[in-house]
Amino acid sequence: MTPTINEFDPRVIPFQLQVLKDIQEYDYGEGTHEVLLSGSVGSSKSVLLSHICVLLCLMHKNCHIGIGRLSMPALKGTLFRTIVDHIGDAVEVKVVDNTAKIFFPNGSRITSFSWQDKKYKKVRSHEFSVFAIEELTENDTDEAYKEILMRIGRDPKIKHKLLISATNPD
């Protein structure tokens, strides 16, 4: 069961608190912060990704966060669903299931992407503050990663310029 944003306690799993501190303390003047979460099945990587995405959307008006995975059905069944469950009843958001988008009352939004069709450039028309990739190692090329990285950090009002990826050890 996914803890809601009100139930989540990063002190339960020590690496979660370390990652949250790292993201908060990083000098974003150095550029985009790239973080890789690696752990076995059930290590709560997706819960942490969800928490970071939701927290930043709540902290910043008009924050645009991208989430992605090689396959859209897999993304909808994992990270997207975990984010929706993590929000719970804490915030009234608009969830568009067919496109896997979430809209927050403060203008922030989460947009989902997949690239199984090898159309890596589809992210070029977007500007992200943060992008979260689930199951990074299921990709056989780094083309999507490179395209996403170029689209992060274009809103100067939002300090966090973050590309965070999760994967099982591979």
Side-chain angles (χ1 to χ4, degrees), residues 2-137:
T2 301
T4 65
I5 191 150
N6 293 329
E7 298 167 338
F8 180 76
D9 183 354
R11 297 170 297 182
V12 173
I13 302 173
F15 91 86
Q16 292 180 333
L17 186 58
Q18 291 171 326
V19 170
L20 291 172
K21 283 182 180 179
D22 174 68
I23 289 169
Q24 189 60 34
E25 295 171 0
Y26 180 76
D27 179 3
Y28 290 92
E30 299 289 324
T32 300
H33 189 22
E34 296 174 71
V35 177
L36 176 64
L37 305 176
S38 179
S40 62
V41 173
S43 64
S44 294
K45 299 177 303 291
S46 294
V47 172
L48 182 58
L49 281 177
S50 299
H51 185 72
I52 291 167
C53 292
V54 173
L55 186 64
L56 291 175
C57 280
L58 294 173
M59 286 173 56
H60 303 288
K61 290 182 353 181
N62 302 314
C63 182
H64 187 197
I65 294 184
I67 61 172
R69 187 171 180 175
L70 181 64
S71 156
M72 184 59 77
L75 179 64
K76 285 181 177 182
T78 54
L79 184 57
F80 175 73
R81 185 55 39 208
T82 303
I83 290 171
V84 171
D85 292 347
H86 189 63
I87 294 169
D89 294 332
V91 182
E92 193 163 322
V93 296
K94 178 181 177 186
V95 176
V96 183
D97 282 308
N98 64 329
T99 57
K101 292 182 180 179
I102 303 169
F103 298 91
F104 290 76
N106 67 356
S108 292
R109 66 195 184 282
I110 296 174
T111 307
S112 296
F113 293 89
S114 67
W115 42 85
Q116 193 166 23
D117 58 5
K118 304 210 182 300
K119 295 180 180 175
Y120 308 113
K121 296 179 182 178
K122 66 177 98 178
V123 297
R124 283 193 176 177
S125 61
H126 298 274
E127 295 178 353
F128 305 105
S129 304
V130 174
F131 203 101
I133 299 174
E134 186 167 42
E135 295 304 339
L136 183 65
T137 58

